[in-house]
Amino acid sequence: MILYFSGTGNSEYVAKRIGKETNDTVINLFEKIRNNDISEMYSESAWVVVVPTYAWRIPRLIEKWLEQTALNGNKNIYFVMTCGENIENAGKYLEKLCLKKKMSYHGCMGIIMPENYIALFSTPNEETALQIIERAESVIDQAAAHIKRGSLFPQANISFKDKIISGIVNDFFYPTTVHAKKFYATDDCISCGKCSNVCPLHNIRMNNGRPIWGNHCTHCMACICRCPTEAIEYGKHSQGLPRYYCKKEV
């Protein structure tokens, strides 16, 4: 069974591509996360978790959900992480998580997809994004092939820098950077409420037709990148940057 979480569509696309190649069930975790649904799940096939990379590890909201949710049946589990560049030493923490859950860690594979983290980085235009996705297709096929065979994902060489980035830097990054203080809506806002509807943590409420952000942001970038009028900004950094959302069909 393939479980995915996706803010701007990259992980959704990869999960559905793997599901198509492996002929397996694909489930979006959005509603489970949003509703704090930690009811047990069952799969006869290996578990495959497809998520974006947040600060060089899996998102903390997904890590918390996995810790609290019993995944019964097959005890083998793969992780696929979409990223703008690399996943550093994310696998170390996933292996620890699997030990806690008494599951067999079958590895973690990073797949480079278009950058969506508009809060800090530059996002690609549509043409460049499609080119990046095209380059990712062969890697997605490799991941699917390993899953079909039941073989472990190949392990990458981990440098000292990788360990620091996924460790100390991740620990520093979350409390200092992952917050909603810089989000705001411009006068282009049409009060549609989509930003509130796509927030996985109920962190956006509408007040007099305008979005108000709370204190539980996970920086998935769904609100800013999926706004139909591009009315949401993140400080000054997002101004003038294209909004990225994966529109490619599987």
Side-chain angles (χ1 to χ4, degrees), residues 117 119-120 172-182 217 219 234:
Y117 196 32
L120 285 183
F172 176 79
F173 185 85
Y174 262 84
T176 60
T177 307
V178 182
H179 53 71
K181 295 176 183 178
K182 292 185 179 182
C217 184
H219 267 203
Y234 188 83

Side-chain angles (χ1 to χ4, degrees), residues 94-105:
L94 294 172
E95 194 166 6
K96 286 183 178 180
L97 174 62
C98 291
L99 282 173
K100 286 182 185 177
K101 293 184 68 65
K102 297 181 179 179
M103 299 187 75
S104 178
Y105 175 66

Side-chain angles (χ1 to χ4, degrees), residues 143 150 203:
N203 192 53

Side-chain angles (χ1 to χ4, degrees), residues 15-180:
K16 289 180 177 178
R17 275 277 284 106
I18 292 175
K20 183 177 180 180
E21 294 298 320
T22 60
N23 195 30
D24 204 353
T25 302
V26 181
I27 294 178
N28 186 352
L29 293 179
F30 177 84
E31 291 297 336
K32 287 184 174 292
I33 298 297
R34 190 172 167 94
N35 298 320
N36 196 29
D37 178 0
I38 56 172
S39 54
E40 66 180 48
M41 301 184 72
Y42 178 87
S43 176
E44 293 187 0
S45 60
W47 297 93
V48 183
V49 178
V50 184
V51 292
T53 303
Y54 288 2
W56 305 282
R57 278 161 59 178
I58 68 168
R60 290 191 179 181
L61 80 169
I62 298 299
E63 184 175 16
K64 179 182 176 182
W65 182 85
L66 286 169
E67 287 175 345
Q68 297 177 328
T69 304
L71 301 181
N72 297 326
N74 197 306
K75 288 301 177 184
N76 298 332
I77 185 167
Y78 295 87
F79 292 87
V80 177
M81 298 175 64
T82 57
C83 58
E85 187 174 348
N86 52 57
I87 61 173
E88 305 292 355
N89 195 31
K92 169 188 174 182
Y93 302 91
L94 294 172
E95 194 166 6
K96 286 183 178 180
L97 174 62
C98 291
L99 282 173
K100 286 182 185 177
K101 293 184 68 65
K102 297 181 179 179
M103 299 187 75
S104 178
Y105 175 66
H106 271 43
C108 177
M109 183 176 288
I111 297 180
I112 296 175
M113 291 287 282
E115 182 62 65
N116 73 340
Y117 196 32
I118 198 170
L120 285 183
F121 304 122
S122 295
T123 44
N125 59 34
E126 188 170 350
E127 181 182 359
T128 302
L130 287 173
Q131 291 172 354
I132 295 170
I133 295 172
E134 284 300 318
R135 290 195 292 270
E137 298 290 2
S138 61
V139 187
I140 298 172
D141 288 337
Q142 290 174 32
H146 280 288
I147 294 166
K148 285 171 73 174
R149 292 195 300 266
S151 58
L152 302 180
F153 282 157
Q155 290 189 340
N157 293 323
I158 302 300
S159 67
F160 177 72
K161 169 178 161 289
D162 296 334
K163 294 177 181 178
I164 293 295
I165 289 177
S166 289
I168 296 173
V169 174
N170 178 279
D171 291 338
F172 176 79
F173 185 85
Y174 262 84
T176 60
T177 307
V178 182
H179 53 71

